[in-house]
Amino acid sequence: MEVNHHTSPTNQSLRITATGLVVEDHTPLHSLVSFIDTILRGVAQVMLQNNSYAGLIFLIGIFYNSALFGLAVLIGTAASTSTAILLAVDRTQIRQGLFGFNGALVAIALLYFLEPNLLTLGYVVIACSFSTIFMAALLTLFNIWKLPTLTAPFILTSLCFVLACARFGRLHSTNQLPTAGLPQSATVEGIVTASTVIEGLFNGIAQVFFQGNVITGAIFAIGLLVSSRLAFVTSLVGSLTGVLVAWGMGAAEPAIRSGAFGFNCVLTAIAIGSVFFILDIALAIYGLLAVITTAVVFAAISAALQPIGMPAMTAPFVIVVWLFLLASPIFPRLHRV
Amino acid sequence: MEVNHHTSPTNQSLRITATGLVVEDHTPLHSLVSFIDTILRGVAQVMLQNNSYAGLIFLIGIFYNSALFGLAVLIGTAASTSTAILLAVDRTQIRQGLFGFNGALVAIALLYFLEPNLLTLGYVVIACSFSTIFMAALLTLFNIWKLPTLTAPFILTSLCFVLACARFGRLHSTNQLPTAGLPQSATVEGIVTASTVIEGLFNGIAQVFFQGNVITGAIFAIGLLVSSRLAFVTSLVGSLTGVLVAWGMGAAEPAIRSGAFGFNCVLTAIAIGSVFFILDIALAIYGLLAVITTAVVFAAISAALQPIGMPAMTAPFVIVVWLFLLASPIFPRLHRV
Amino acid sequence: MEVNHHTSPTNQSLRITATGLVVEDHTPLHSLVSFIDTILRGVAQVMLQNNSYAGLIFLIGIFYNSALFGLAVLIGTAASTSTAILLAVDRTQIRQGLFGFNGALVAIALLYFLEPNLLTLGYVVIACSFSTIFMAALLTLFNIWKLPTLTAPFILTSLCFVLACARFGRLHSTNQLPTAGLPQSATVEGIVTASTVIEGLFNGIAQVFFQGNVITGAIFAIGLLVSSRLAFVTSLVGSLTGVLVAWGMGAAEPAIRSGAFGFNCVLTAIAIGSVFFILDIALAIYGLLAVITTAVVFAAISAALQPIGMPAMTAPFVIVVWLFLLASPIFPRLHRV
């Protein structure tokens, strides 16, 4: 159901489609409307959606929780996308938001972990530009296996730029960074109730963008629903699985409630369940194993990074989905999209 | 020297050969005899042998030391092999035990480092299933270089599932895990005697399966002899080299005696000396450098993992053999099998 | 401007060219003159120069600061090159010094971080031989992407062989190793003056070979000038950028003065600015981003390695240049040499 919105005399045409604004290749990318649509798709791609309406709703969810992070997302997506435009990247990839989502997350992560000031702002812009180089490098590296980069450029860029503040006296970390220490064995902490599960469920979706807010999580879920019913369902199933695995294994109640065990599972569930494979019984079991493993890998990476005081971010999702994608050609029961 | 053991009316045939039972492709894999043969080959593949008699002898050696670890090997090999069967992996690879050996080691490792109970058992089964996905992923990833996965799926799966217990209050580690701490410079500790060398020699072979038992090591050596005289000789040379390098560099006597410096050298020696290359003078020197380096890399990785309190497992073997395999096309003096 | 220096009756010919001695393929590589030329090129390749005069001047710079390190470079380059010759590597690659530079750096690093004695000397020779295997392995691994190994074999070999001394009681580390500890947030330390900047500028070049000496840095710069005016200019710009980024971000003054933030930037600047790309405006901006990022990545890796008490060495240069090389095909604005 596409509507012809505008046809310019120079053969440019903008059309409103089910996934947002579609612009013909001849249109200058820097035309404001087209650029905004690209930014929104960049935001949506954080949850693997190529849909500018979803991006807009995600942005509303973030602004609902924090204007600072809302602005961070806009600046980060714009900075990384602009770097790609300046270096003349193939327009189709830019227009799908593929050079925006890492920048969006880098900017939020840096402003989540570092105190905001003018120096930090410049630092964020450089980090977001670098995330575009990183994205391009991984595109070349992974082309052989047709493997998606997922959010790897974001994770590694953020890790570097946050870790560096241990040497840079003019950058100050917020109290959101884990304290550096040696990992110790855990004990069961707190009692899991219905409210833990429900808050954990929505916080898990919200934490994909570093937001600890149940309403924001619900808004994100609506954004997913607008883009894809399957993405909506798998995200909820993923978040719930993360909560249940963590509960079953005796993770700390506050961590379960905060969504810490959920956000990687949300992304794994969306990716395996609704993006890269055709859903059938075999895939459902495969996806469930992937999501359960994601919760374990989250616990492991979070412990492994404790001596350097760094968070796991979305590394568990990236590693598990890479493995389950790479493995799939060996398993004839599974069918790739 | 093959004996026709049985020919069924449906064209199935089982034959006893020098390396165990050989079943024609048409035979249902889940037929019990065939499945047991596959499990035994999976156990044998831990030492790079495709020979079900060797697997049986290794199993006897493990049961001699500990019924728990014997059962663990059976459960682990069965769980990972079954996952491969369910996902319809190519039957030839399954029948060689290639989807069994990582599961065997994952199960032993988890029961070595985690207290056994019903939750741990479920955890082990999931970890073994995951090791099959990991194996398949590395098969795809390494296909470009025709590089074998070796025990990498085991190492990384075990590392994740053991590390995760720092976040999971219902899993408890045994006192076998290294204490997390900062690496410090070593001093020469204890005096190496003939008994250190002899115990270290056989413990080095036993430790491939996490067994600290001289008799078990000797039984393993017999298993290797049944499968390949060259594997038998190289395993002893490898273990001895590990002991001598550690002694010469001033490693702690108890560590040398326990076989800690030997088991990676055993595997490197078998792999380079008897599996992947044709043995000649050039290869002997190449292999010796590989084995010596393996002892050094073991010391390094063991120190590097100290802050997260994790053991090196067979990572030194895997890394060194990958490097020496990848390097070999550049060196015309060497000849691959 | 080539001079025919010598023509032997067996069709061998040595010619003195702008980059050193050129020997025809028929010449036995072990002829002393040819071997020395190869060693000097190996030393020069540390700064990515295939020029034996540059190698000679670098060597003079090192001997000016320390006879021990001068000898280390000679032994290391000879050991790794000899290993390549023994294993019959393609002569052209050997003659360009490509199997020498990693050995040169491994030997300096081990003698910088470990107390020199006879055991250490044997250890150094084994490490240098291993660096040749590592180099060959990476050549095969990276062939798919036509990616250069840079100094990765040196970094990983040195890391292993130095880390191992935490388990080897007869190896003793010098006080040059960072103390193992948990990374903490930095504060601005000391006041940066003109002398900090000038010393940092030349120390940055000197530190490529682990030399903390301004005159040595100046001699290295002359060596670069002899080989390539562009390499000379980019090395100075790189070192200065490292100093300025570190200063701007509030790094400790003694670290800035010592060249710690500069040596990786020097190498990144030479690689991106004068070796792998054609210099134009787009490349200048691309290279500047690469050099700035190198300083950040240095801070990050140096913090990440603190729990195991290891230095970053040239890992930031290697990682950043790999990324910027891999990314470049996606950016049509850039032109590879």
Side-chain angles (χ1 to χ4, degrees):
Chain A
M1 208 180 71
E2 303 191 341
V3 184
N4 248 312
H5 180 69
H6 172 81
T7 311
S8 81
T10 57
N11 277 337
Q12 293 180 7
S13 75
L14 294 175
R15 288 171 303 148
I16 297 175
T17 73
T19 72
L21 209 62
V22 165
V23 193
E24 282 196 3
D25 279 349
H26 306 293
T27 314
L29 188 64
H30 46 268
S31 88
L32 194 60
V33 175
S34 160
F35 187 72
I36 290 170
D37 185 76
T38 301
I39 297 301
L40 292 178
R41 283 175 200 269
V43 177
Q45 288 285 7
V46 169
M47 296 254 200
L48 299 115
Q49 309 303 311
N50 178 15
N51 183 307
S52 50
Y53 302 127
L56 182 62
I57 298 171
F58 294 164
L59 207 52
I60 291 167
I62 297 165
F63 268 105
Y64 172 83
N65 184 47
S66 152
L68 176 66
F69 292 135
L71 285 172
V73 163
L74 288 176
I75 292 169
T77 318
S80 57
T81 304
S82 302
T83 305
I85 295 171
L86 283 175
L87 286 160
V89 171
D90 167 54
R91 190 159 295 189
T92 317
Q93 289 188 300
I94 295 180
R95 281 298 277 121
Q96 294 172 350
L98 291 178
F99 283 87
F101 68 99
N102 284 295
L105 287 168
V106 166
I108 293 195
L110 293 191
L111 289 170
Y112 189 71
F113 294 122
L114 302 179
E115 279 182 18
N117 58 42
L118 223 70
L119 185 67
T120 310
L121 186 66
Y123 198 61
V124 166
V125 170
I126 287 178
C128 292
S129 290
F130 177 59
S131 79
T132 287
I133 313 293
F134 216 126
M135 177 71 180
L138 289 193
L139 285 176
T140 307
L141 196 70
F142 288 175
N143 188 40
I144 294 158
W145 301 280
K146 305 289 170 215
L147 199 63
T149 67
L150 304 175
T151 51
F154 144 63
I155 299 160
L156 292 163
T157 302
S158 302
L159 213 57
C160 270
F161 278 73
V162 175
L163 253 176
C165 80
R167 292 290 176 277
F168 290 155
R170 280 194 247 282
L171 290 176
H172 305 286
S173 59
T174 61
N175 58 2
Q176 298 295 346
L177 270 186
T179 315
L182 301 177
Q184 298 185 316
S185 54
T187 49
V188 180
E189 225 179 275
I191 293 162
V192 174
T193 64
S195 89
T196 313
V197 174
I198 292 169
E199 290 194 24
L201 177 65
F202 287 102
N203 276 334
I205 301 178
Q207 289 286 5
V208 171
F209 280 97
F210 292 86
Q211 309 299 301
N213 187 308
V214 172
I215 304 295
T216 298
I219 298 175
F220 287 175
I222 294 168
L224 285 170
L225 183 59
V226 166
S227 171
S228 149
R229 269 172 298 179
L230 198 51
F232 169 74
V233 173
T234 51
S235 74
L236 289 171
V237 171
S239 191
L240 188 64
T241 308
V243 166
L244 294 180
V245 170
W247 184 11
M249 302 306 295
E253 193 270 346
I256 300 176
R257 185 186 291 267
S258 75
F261 282 92
F263 67 100
N264 278 286
C265 297
V266 165
L267 291 170
T268 298
I270 295 176
I272 303 279
S274 77
V275 176
F276 296 114
F277 292 95
I278 293 162
L279 186 56
D280 56 16
I281 298 281
L283 194 270
I285 298 167
Y286 195 67
L288 193 65
L289 180 59
V291 174
I292 291 171
T293 312
T294 301
V296 175
V297 174
F298 172 78
I301 293 185
S302 135
L305 293 178
Q306 207 168 320
I308 54 168
M310 287 293 124
M313 296 191 269
T314 51
F317 146 66
V318 170
I319 291 168
V320 170
V321 172
W322 279 347
L323 289 175
F324 278 73
L325 284 176
L326 281 171
S328 61
I330 313 285
F331 304 137
R333 283 271 160 79
L334 304 171
H335 306 286
R336 286 288 292 269
V337 168
Chain B
M1 210 178 67
E2 303 191 341
V3 184
N4 249 312
H5 180 68
H6 172 80
T7 311
S8 82
T10 58
N11 276 337
Q12 291 180 9
S13 75
L14 294 175
R15 288 171 303 147
I16 297 174
T17 73
T19 73
L21 209 64
V22 164
V23 193
E24 281 197 3
D25 278 349
H26 306 293
T27 312
L29 189 64
H30 47 269
S31 88
L32 193 62
V33 175
S34 160
F35 187 72
I36 290 171
D37 186 76
T38 301
I39 297 300
L40 293 178
R41 282 175 200 270
V43 176
Q45 288 284 7
V46 168
M47 297 254 200
L48 298 114
Q49 309 303 313
N50 178 16
N51 184 306
S52 49
Y53 302 126
L56 183 62
I57 297 171
F58 294 164
L59 207 53
I60 291 168
I62 298 166
F63 268 105
Y64 172 84
N65 184 47
S66 152
L68 176 66
F69 292 136
L71 285 171
V73 163
L74 288 176
I75 292 170
T77 317
S80 58
T81 303
S82 302
T83 305
I85 294 171
L86 284 175
L87 286 160
V89 171
D90 168 53
R91 190 158 297 189
T92 317
Q93 289 188 298
I94 294 181
R95 283 296 278 119
Q96 294 172 350
L98 291 178
F99 284 89
F101 67 99
N102 284 294
L105 287 168
V106 165
I108 294 195
L110 293 191
L111 289 170
Y112 189 72
F113 295 122
L114 302 179
E115 278 181 17
N117 58 42
L118 223 71
L119 185 67
T120 309
L121 186 66
Y123 198 62
V124 165
V125 170
I126 287 179
C128 292
S129 291
F130 177 59
S131 79
T132 288
I133 314 293
F134 216 126
M135 177 70 180
L138 290 193
L139 285 176
T140 307
L141 196 70
F142 288 174
N143 187 40
I144 293 158
W145 301 280
K146 306 288 171 215
L147 199 63
T149 68
L150 305 175
T151 50
F154 143 63
I155 299 160
L156 293 164
T157 302
S158 302
L159 212 58
C160 271
F161 278 74
V162 175
L163 253 176
C165 80
R167 292 291 176 274
F168 291 155
R170 278 194 249 281
L171 289 177
H172 304 286
S173 59
T174 61
N175 58 2
Q176 299 295 346
L177 270 186
T179 315
L182 302 177
Q184 297 185 317
S185 54
T187 48
V188 181
E189 224 178 276
I191 293 163
V192 174
T193 63
S195 89
T196 313
V197 174
I198 292 169
E199 290 194 23
L201 176 66
F202 287 102
N203 276 333
I205 301 178
Q207 289 286 5
V208 171
F209 280 97
F210 292 85
Q211 307 301 300
N213 186 310
V214 171
I215 305 294
T216 298
I219 298 175
F220 287 175
I222 294 168
L224 286 170
L225 183 59
V226 166
S227 170
S228 149
R229 269 172 298 178
L230 199 51
F232 170 74
V233 172
T234 50
S235 73
L236 289 171
V237 172
S239 192
L240 187 65
T241 309
V243 166
L244 295 180
V245 170
W247 185 11
M249 303 306 295
E253 193 271 345
I256 299 175
R257 184 185 293 267
S258 75
F261 281 93
F263 66 100
N264 279 285
C265 296
V266 165
L267 291 169
T268 298
I270 294 176
I272 304 278
S274 76
V275 175
F276 295 115
F277 292 94
I278 293 162
L279 185 57
D280 57 15
I281 298 281
L283 194 269
I285 298 167
Y286 196 66
L288 193 66
L289 180 59
V291 175
I292 292 171
T293 312
T294 300
V296 174
V297 173
F298 172 78
I301 293 184
S302 136
L305 292 178
Q306 208 168 319
I308 55 169
M310 286 294 125
M313 297 191 269
T314 50
F317 147 65
V318 170
I319 291 169
V320 169
V321 172
W322 279 348
L323 289 176
F324 278 73
L325 284 176
L326 281 171
S328 61
I330 312 285
F331 304 136
R333 285 272 160 80
L334 305 171
H335 305 285
R336 287 288 291 270
V337 168
Chain C
M1 210 180 68
E2 304 191 340
V3 185
N4 249 312
H5 180 69
H6 173 80
T7 311
S8 81
T10 58
N11 276 336
Q12 292 180 7
S13 75
L14 295 174
R15 287 171 304 147
I16 297 175
T17 73
T19 73
L21 210 62
V22 166
V23 192
E24 280 196 7
D25 277 350
H26 306 294
T27 311
L29 189 64
H30 46 269
S31 87
L32 192 63
V33 175
S34 161
F35 187 73
I36 290 171
D37 187 75
T38 301
I39 296 300
L40 293 178
R41 282 175 202 269
V43 177
Q45 287 285 6
V46 168
M47 297 254 200
L48 298 114
Q49 309 303 311
N50 178 15
N51 183 306
S52 50
Y53 303 126
L56 182 63
I57 297 171
F58 294 165
L59 206 54
I60 291 167
I62 298 166
F63 268 104
Y64 172 84
N65 185 48
S66 152
L68 176 67
F69 292 136
L71 285 171
V73 163
L74 288 176
I75 292 169
T77 317
S80 58
T81 303
S82 302
T83 306
I85 294 171
L86 283 175
L87 286 159
V89 171
D90 169 54
R91 190 159 294 190
T92 318
Q93 289 188 300
I94 294 181
R95 283 297 278 119
Q96 294 172 350
L98 291 179
F99 283 88
F101 68 99
N102 284 294
L105 287 168
V106 165
I108 293 196
L110 292 192
L111 289 170
Y112 189 72
F113 294 122
L114 301 179
E115 278 181 18
N117 56 42
L118 222 70
L119 185 68
T120 309
L121 185 67
Y123 198 62
V124 166
V125 170
I126 287 178
C128 291
S129 290
F130 177 59
S131 79
T132 287
I133 314 293
F134 215 126
M135 176 71 181
L138 290 193
L139 285 176
T140 306
L141 196 71
F142 288 175
N143 188 39
I144 293 158
W145 301 281
K146 306 287 169 215
L147 199 64
T149 66
L150 304 176
T151 51
F154 143 62
I155 299 160
L156 293 164
T157 301
S158 302
L159 212 56
C160 272
F161 278 74
V162 175
L163 253 176
C165 78
R167 291 290 176 276
F168 291 155
R170 280 194 247 280
L171 289 177
H172 305 285
S173 60
T174 61
N175 59 2
Q176 298 295 345
L177 270 186
T179 315
L182 302 176
Q184 298 186 316
S185 54
T187 49
V188 180
E189 225 179 276
I191 293 163
V192 174
T193 63
S195 88
T196 314
V197 174
I198 292 169
E199 290 194 23
L201 176 65
F202 287 102
N203 276 333
I205 301 178
Q207 289 285 5
V208 171
F209 279 97
F210 292 87
Q211 308 301 302
N213 186 310
V214 172
I215 303 295
T216 298
I219 298 175
F220 288 176
I222 294 168
L224 286 170
L225 183 59
V226 166
S227 170
S228 149
R229 268 172 298 179
L230 199 50
F232 170 74
V233 173
T234 51
S235 73
L236 289 171
V237 171
S239 191
L240 187 64
T241 308
V243 166
L244 295 180
V245 170
W247 183 13
M249 303 306 294
E253 192 271 346
I256 300 175
R257 184 187 291 267
S258 75
F261 281 92
F263 67 99
N264 279 285
C265 297
V266 165
L267 291 169
T268 298
I270 294 176
I272 303 277
S274 77
V275 175
F276 295 115
F277 292 95
I278 293 162
L279 185 57
D280 57 15
I281 298 281
L283 194 270
I285 298 167
Y286 195 65
L288 193 65
L289 181 59
V291 175
I292 292 171
T293 313
T294 300
V296 175
V297 173
F298 172 78
I301 293 184
S302 135
L305 293 179
Q306 207 168 320
I308 55 169
M310 286 293 125
M313 296 189 270
T314 50
F317 147 66
V318 170
I319 292 169
V320 169
V321 171
W322 279 348
L323 289 175
F324 278 73
L325 283 176
L326 281 171
S328 61
I330 313 284
F331 304 137
R333 284 272 160 81
L334 304 171
H335 306 286
R336 286 288 290 270
V337 168

